[in-house]
Amino acid sequence: MSESKSFFDIRSSIRKNLVALLGLGMLVISLFTVLVIETIVRKSNINQITKSVVALTEKKGDVIEKELREYVASAEAVSGLLAGSWTIPSNRRRSCESIALYSFVKNSKITSAWAVWQPGAFDKRDSEFEDPEYNDDGRFWTRYVRTATGRIRTDEIEDINGKWFEDALNSYHTTISEPETILIDNVPTITAKAYSHILNFNNEAVGVAGIDIVLSSLEGLLEGESIFKGTKVEFLTSSGTVLGSTDGEKIGTKSSIYTNQDYNKYFTGDNETVTFEMNKELVTVAKISPDRRDWNKWFVVSRVPLNNISATART
């Protein structure tokens, strides 16, 4: 009897152990299944977030491109407006063209617009306006700016004999310059020039007209939270010069991403948009053509902390 009871106890113990092991195995399988599902879901979420970041970076690039093309169109409008100066009697030409430029600035959102003619190319009266201090060769130039109070006033043009003037005369395209600091109403202001040459009735380049793009006006377009939490944005010229940023890069300097040999290939390749990881960030580079020259690519760069993406993907 004792031996029979011991036998049944052993069978019962084995059964309990088997049940316990089976339960443990099911628990392990369940935990493993949950882990696999969570991994799949997290990877899927990360992929979806990445696609969203890319799409929203490209959208921001489209918005910035549209804004700059409006500036380019404004520069072309100024040059076209002033191109007909030869039809105005020479004794009224300077005042009429100045009034035309004044009206243009007053009735637009432009902060600064200007025009410079080559010596002797405007009204053949340069010698009458020679001034050793302000205009040594008497050539005609005019500039109007919008002050902080909204008043439109005349202002000087800096470096009218600079290389940029000759480059603009000889260019068939409206150009946006590299950033520079100029005076607008005696206030140092970081700008980029958008300029186009002025043609006479013989289709000869006789001057240059343009506008000054106040780069601080682009800051609102560079806001990164609309792309993803914690996103920083840079806006770069084709040479990698910073036109605007929210990540601490200084305007007018070369972007540290662009100049890094490990990442420069992403800017110079053929793809319109690329993504890569750098220093625990997801970086997206979207190319735009601000002056309608498809080969002249500028860059909108977004930088998203990978930790922020991972945290969102787990929720």
Side-chain angles (χ1 to χ4, degrees), residues 154-208:
T154 59
D155 209 346
E156 293 185 26
I157 301 176
E158 300 176 49
D159 192 28
I160 62 175
N161 294 308
K163 184 178 181 297
W164 67 268
F165 182 79
E166 290 298 325
D167 291 343
L169 279 177
N170 298 321
S171 173
Y172 288 97
H173 304 282
T174 303
T175 302
I176 301 178
S177 72
E178 295 284 302
E180 61 180 347
T181 299
I182 65 172
L183 293 177
I184 296 181
D185 194 29
N186 293 320
V187 178
T189 307
I190 301 177
T191 66
K193 288 186 176 73
Y195 49 77
S196 178
H197 58 206
I198 302 170
L199 301 176
N200 65 9
F201 61 94
N202 286 325
N203 210 36
E204 299 168 332
V206 293
V208 178

Side-chain angles (χ1 to χ4, degrees), residues 20-36:
L21 287 173
L22 181 62
L24 180 61
M26 293 297 293
L27 178 61
V28 171
I29 292 173
S30 297
L31 291 174
F32 179 76
T33 302
V34 169
L35 180 62
V36 170

Side-chain angles (χ1 to χ4, degrees), residues 2 7 20 96 99 125 134 169 216 305:
S2 173
F7 173 75
C96 287
I99 291 172
R125 300 172 62 209
Y134 298 106
L169 279 177
S216 61

Side-chain angles (χ1 to χ4, degrees), residues 123-166:
D123 56 6
K124 311 301 181 184
R125 300 172 62 209
D126 290 5
S127 60
E128 299 177 31
F129 296 91
E130 290 179 0
D131 186 313
E133 185 174 356
Y134 298 106
N135 193 350
D136 57 355
D137 56 14
R139 76 163 85 179
F140 178 62
W141 58 264
T142 181
R143 182 191 187 199
Y144 282 91
V145 301
R146 190 187 310 277
T147 68
T149 61
R151 186 169 66 93
I152 311 300
R153 62 177 291 269
T154 59
D155 209 346
E156 293 185 26
I157 301 176
E158 300 176 49
D159 192 28
I160 62 175
N161 294 308
K163 184 178 181 297
W164 67 268
F165 182 79
E166 290 298 325

